[in-house]
């Protein structure tokens, strides 16, 4: 089963991906985590990405599509994968479609976590304290920028998947357990 999880920053994409990975034994592909590990390892990609991530803008599609193209062919993706934080704009969504076509694979389901903005600020504030400010983009100012980018660039991919009849919406403001249960029910219905 190949899944896309869409939602604004702080909506719980990372949290819910971990549950799905455990339940279905598929791989989690988080472009944000991959970029952060490149930054920690000081790779060429990490050097290019750091200031962009810290400002809340999007890293170039070229870098992102290359990272995903390599990762998606790894052994642990054979059983399926969950894309967390990718695609982030229409160009990435189209790039993904081309990539999957070549590999004779497809996206089976897209889940959108819906949220109101106020809750996102609370969550990011809590996370930044819990992680001792590990993520430089977890500030109110950068979150505002990330939300602007989400509205302008990422939201348009929602109708793109709605038109393909792949989109399911889940209320991301319920408890972690309830959101996980609601996602699980949808995935069981699709039953791939
Ligand atoms: P990325 O790492 O993808 O960050 P994001 O989209 O901003 O989202 P977050 O990771 O902040 O939130 P999340 O939805 O995963 O929520 P989480 O589960 O952590 O991207 C970072 C940057 O990398 C981008 O700005 C961009 O620069 C770059 N980038 C990444 N992908 C890219 C791409 N494809 N193209 C270009 N650039 C890209 O939860 C948040 C908090 O809330 C946690 O503390 C959690 O414990 C808590 N929580 C979760 N669920 C609940 C709940 N139900 N109730 C209460 N608390 C909850
Ligand atoms: Mg995340």
């Amino acid at each position: 089963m190949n899944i896309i999880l869409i939602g604004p920053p702080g909506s719980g994409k990372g949290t819910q991906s971990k549950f799905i990975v455990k339940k279905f034994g598929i791989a989690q592909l988080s472009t944000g985590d991959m970029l952060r590990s490149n930054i920690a390892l000081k790779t060429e990609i990490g050097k290019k990405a750091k200031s962009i991530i810290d400002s809340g803008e999007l890293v170039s599609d070229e870098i992102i599509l290359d990272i995903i193209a390599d990762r998606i062919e790894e052994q642990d993706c054979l059983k399926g994968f969950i894309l967390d934080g990718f695609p982030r704009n229409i160009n990435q969504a189209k790039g993904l479609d081309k990539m999957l076509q070549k590999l004779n694979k497809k996206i089976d389901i897209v889940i959108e976590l819906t949220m109101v903005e106020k809750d996102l600020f609370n969550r990011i504030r809590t996370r930044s304290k819990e992680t001792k400010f590990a993520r430089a983009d977890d500030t109110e100012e950068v979150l505002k920028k990330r939300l602007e980018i989400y509205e302008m660039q990422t939201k348009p991919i929602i109708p793109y998947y709605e038109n393909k009849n792949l989109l399911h919406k889940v209320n991301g403001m319920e408890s972690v357990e309830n959101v996980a249960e609601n996602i699980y029910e949808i995935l069981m219905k699709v039953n791939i």
Side-chain angles (χ1 to χ4, degrees):
M1 181 158 49
N2 302 327
I3 308 166
I4 295 176
L5 207 49
I6 303 176
S11 57
K13 301 183 294 294
T15 305
Q16 295 301 329
S17 292
K18 302 254 169 348
F19 286 110
I20 300 167
V21 164
K22 253 194 190 161
K23 281 222 158 103
F24 294 92
I26 59 177
Q28 179 191 1
L29 274 54
S30 159
T31 40
D33 288 350
M34 291 178 212
L35 291 168
R36 281 183 289 276
S37 87
N38 270 280
I39 292 173
L41 294 168
K42 296 192 165 61
T43 65
E44 279 310 307
I45 288 177
K47 281 179 206 161
K48 280 187 196 151
K50 183 166 183 346
S51 61
I52 302 171
I53 292 185
D54 290 356
S55 72
E57 300 275 348
L58 293 185
V59 173
S60 78
D61 293 346
E62 198 191 352
I63 290 181
I64 297 291
L65 287 165
D66 277 354
I67 293 183
I68 289 286
D70 285 345
R71 183 66 186 85
I72 227 162
E73 289 200 59
E74 281 179 35
Q75 198 70 18
D76 64 338
C77 292
L78 280 178
K79 216 176 147 191
F81 49 80
I82 176 155
L83 295 167
D84 153 14
F86 171 87
R88 233 23 186 234
N89 58 30
I90 291 282
N91 190 43
Q92 291 184 11
K94 289 185 175 162
L96 173 66
D97 282 347
K98 272 192 205 145
M99 203 185 291
L100 292 175
Q101 209 175 4
K102 273 191 212 152
L103 297 169
N104 216 4
K105 288 178 194 260
K106 64 177 176 55
I107 294 298
D108 300 303
I109 185 161
V110 179
I111 292 176
E112 180 198 354
L113 293 173
T114 59
M115 292 285 299
V116 295
E117 272 200 13
K118 180 173 65 64
D119 290 26
L120 298 172
F121 282 90
N122 291 337
R123 283 196 190 172
I124 295 301
R125 207 172 295 125
T126 308
R127 182 173 69 185
S128 66
K129 282 182 196 145
E130 278 171 3
T131 61
K132 299 202 169 59
F133 306 95
R135 277 182 62 167
D137 59 346
D138 272 353
T139 64
E140 205 168 310
E141 198 189 326
V142 182
L143 178 59
K144 271 188 200 152
K145 185 78 210 172
R146 284 153 70 196
L147 286 168
E148 249 175 55
I149 303 272
Y150 183 77
E151 284 294 320
M152 283 187 318
Q153 302 201 34
T154 308
K155 265 203 172 161
I157 70 173
I158 292 171
Y160 180 82
Y161 290 113
E162 224 161 12
N163 289 337
K164 292 177 187 276
N165 278 329
L166 292 174
L167 190 81
H168 293 253
K169 289 180 194 282
V170 170
N171 180 0
M173 289 172 289
E174 292 188 27
S175 69
V176 170
E177 295 73 22
N178 280 1
V179 177
E181 185 56 37
N182 292 338
I183 293 177
Y184 182 65
E185 272 176 23
I186 292 172
L187 295 180
M188 289 313 283
K189 269 188 215 147
V190 176
N191 199 17
I192 289 152

